[in-house]
Amino acid sequence: MSLDQKNSRPLQNRTLKKKIRQLLLQEDFEKGLSQICDIPARKAINPLFSFLCSLDELLKWRAVTAMGEVVARLAEEDMESARVIMRRYMWNLNDESGGIGWGCPEAMGEIMARNENLAAEFGCILISYIRPDGNFLEHEILQRGALWGVGRLAHTRPQLLKDSAGYLIPFLQAQDPYLRGLAAWGCKTLRNKKIDAILSRLTEDGAKLSIFLDGHLMPYSVGQLAREAIDYDIDSRP
């Protein structure tokens, strides 16, 4: 490789990152997502990874969605490469990495919601992040991310998490309204009598939060999420 080729790489990377950022934030997100998926996965992953820790909430969450689609598609062509990316998230959530892991549990949940084989392999890892006897995440912001990831997976593949509903109960009783609300949302397809009793006590909880759903940040109250969970026909779940 020539010196000119080496020097052009950082510029190419910055140009690609700028392009992907624009595609994530454009008004027609579905069109932008489609164009991102046309980029070779190995080139798109690093820019998307960098956006997972963005302070721009819309950019961060759309990067989560795009990462889910890109890695799910990659898994269909090259499962081992997809596994490497999943392990990268796991490493970033490990204390030894020296990092924080912002956005990693959300991306893991989105990827597994879109790819059944990765879900079968890594679903238990995602659950371990909310288990006191597992790889419990102490930071509340990371807990929010883990609960969103668990909820996303629970809504699409509840059969994988049917024995894990009990791990959501402490979060239903947390002081942080985001933890209460996200846990209530995640319980929607994983309910049992004990959870239903706690959800009933939350139905008048007026604390506010927002949840990223279907490409948008949606405002909710904890009580609204609790009521929606209770009203959900659990027999109709996938």
Side-chain angles (χ1 to χ4, degrees):
M1 182 183 293
S2 69
L3 183 60
D4 286 343
Q5 288 174 315
K6 288 183 179 179
N7 289 338
S8 69
R9 247 186 206 176
L11 178 60
Q12 291 172 352
N13 291 340
R14 288 195 296 272
T15 300
L16 179 60
K17 183 176 179 179
K18 183 179 179 180
K19 177 183 177 181
I20 290 177
R21 187 180 191 278
Q22 290 172 340
L23 291 172
L24 289 172
L25 291 176
Q26 71 179 34
E27 185 174 352
D28 187 348
F29 175 54
E30 288 302 317
K31 182 178 179 180
L33 179 59
S34 177
Q35 291 180 258
I36 290 170
C37 289
D38 288 337
I39 299 169
R42 289 170 182 80
K43 290 186 176 182
I45 290 298
N46 281 340
L48 289 174
F49 201 100
S50 71
F51 295 136
L52 295 180
C53 57
S54 175
L55 296 178
D56 182 328
E57 284 284 286
L58 185 61
L59 178 61
K60 174 258 180 91
W61 282 109
R62 287 187 170 180
V64 167
T65 300
M67 186 71 85
E69 184 64 15
V70 168
V71 178
R73 291 188 182 202
L74 177 63
E76 295 175 1
E77 303 170 1
D78 185 350
M79 187 64 171
E80 189 52 39
S81 291
R83 289 187 183 108
V84 168
I85 295 168
M86 297 297 282
R87 294 180 192 123
R88 181 177 175 183
Y89 297 130
M90 292 163 59
W91 170 248
N92 279 323
L93 289 166
N94 188 317
D95 290 339
E96 295 178 7
S97 73
I100 300 295
W102 302 125
C104 289
E106 297 97 314
M108 291 177 72
E110 183 66 27
I111 290 165
M112 289 187 286
R114 292 172 181 263
N115 187 275
E116 184 176 6
N117 292 326
L118 288 172
E121 289 191 32
F122 293 95
C124 60
I125 301 297
L126 183 60
I127 282 292
S128 77
Y129 295 130
I130 63 169
R131 288 182 57 165
D133 61 342
N135 302 307
F136 188 78
L137 299 174
E138 298 289 346
H139 199 295
E140 279 195 354
I141 303 300
L142 287 178
Q143 289 173 11
R144 294 180 186 181
L147 287 173
W148 188 92
V150 168
R152 179 74 172 95
L153 185 57
H155 288 192
T156 53
R157 309 187 192 282
Q159 70 280 2
L160 290 179
L161 305 180
K162 62 182 180 180
D163 297 324
S164 303
Y167 299 117
L168 291 168
I169 291 175
F171 296 102
L172 291 170
Q173 302 165 319
Q175 290 188 343
D176 180 0
Y178 269 83
L179 297 183
R180 296 197 306 276
L182 285 164
W185 174 69
C187 283
K188 194 172 184 177
T189 60
L190 302 175
R191 297 191 343 258
N192 55 40
K193 289 182 178 180
K194 187 172 183 180
I195 285 174
D196 280 355
I198 300 173
L199 288 173
S200 295
R201 295 197 291 271
L202 290 176
T203 55
E204 300 305 318
D205 188 330
K208 304 295 184 182
L209 68 150
S210 59
I211 297 182
F212 186 76
L213 297 173
D214 301 322
H216 303 279
L217 281 164
M218 305 295 291
Y220 284 93
S221 69
V222 174
Q224 183 181 356
L225 291 165
R227 292 191 297 273
E228 287 186 5
I230 291 171
D231 291 341
Y232 179 71
D233 182 1
I234 204 163
D235 293 326
S236 69
R237 66 189 183 184

